[in-house]
Amino acid sequence: MKYLIALFIICFSKSYCQSELNNQDFQQAKKLYIEMVHTYDYNEMVRFLDEFKSKLPIEIRDVNFTTQEEFRKYIFNNIEKSFFDDKEQAEKYILYRDEVISKVIKNNSEFYELFKKCSPEQLLEIMKNSP
């Protein structure tokens, strides 16, 4: 699940790994990641994303969205396949999802600045060795 969350945050923040951290920055990123995953905000985000995911239609896992708007449109056009009560509830969940992710990114800005610069291999290494 933590890999899924990280990939979701990458897409949300449009922070694609395009370089590589030096050893000092890599060690700092590992430390900051461990600190982050122990925060209330991070755990609230994980809890909420699990709840959000449980309301999505199963076939959404096979759809590749390139924008947030495509995702939103898909949900609204397939509301009857989801577990949302209606479009209004789906919209509230989407807005809150954006809010909790933004809050985690904002409150852990030092980590995310390093995160943007890490290689995909470094990202996996950071997450694999954490709680």
Side-chain angles (χ1 to χ4, degrees):
M1 180 65 185
K2 64 183 172 183
Y3 294 113
L4 177 63
I5 291 170
L7 294 174
F8 189 77
I9 292 172
I10 291 169
C11 293
F12 182 82
S13 65
K14 296 180 175 63
S15 304
Y16 301 98
C17 300
Q18 297 179 3
S19 58
E20 186 168 300
L21 296 174
N22 64 39
N23 189 51
Q24 182 179 354
D25 286 344
F26 178 67
Q27 295 306 319
Q28 179 68 2
K30 285 170 54 172
K31 176 183 169 279
L32 291 170
Y33 182 77
I34 291 169
E35 289 173 6
M36 179 182 68
V37 300
H38 287 96
T39 64
Y40 173 83
D41 291 338
Y42 181 85
N43 287 295
E44 171 63 14
M45 179 188 70
V46 170
R47 185 206 60 76
F48 179 76
L49 290 176
D50 281 342
E51 181 181 333
F52 181 74
K53 185 177 131 195
S54 74
K55 294 200 172 277
L56 297 174
I58 292 173
E59 69 272 1
I60 200 168
R61 296 174 188 152
D62 298 327
V63 180
N64 292 318
F65 301 102
T66 56
T67 66
Q68 292 289 337
E69 191 52 41
E70 277 184 27
F71 175 75
R72 185 178 255 111
K73 186 177 178 180
Y74 178 87
I75 296 298
F76 293 155
N77 289 338
N78 294 282
I79 200 73
E80 71 285 346
K81 295 178 184 176
S82 76
F83 297 96
F84 293 109
D85 295 337
D86 51 36
K87 289 181 181 181
E88 290 77 24
Q89 184 188 43
E91 180 66 17
K92 285 179 184 178
Y93 267 74
I94 291 168
L95 291 173
Y96 189 67
R97 176 206 62 181
D98 295 352
E99 184 181 315
V100 296
I101 292 171
S102 292
K103 187 175 184 180
V104 168
I105 291 171
K106 180 182 173 198
N107 291 343
N108 297 280
S109 59
E110 185 181 355
F111 168 74
Y112 282 98
E113 285 305 311
L114 293 171
F115 176 80
K116 288 186 227 180
K117 299 172 188 172
C118 71
S119 69
E121 295 80 15
Q122 287 176 321
L123 175 61
L124 290 174
E125 182 69 22
I126 288 168
M127 290 186 296
K128 131 178 140 177
N129 292 321
S130 66

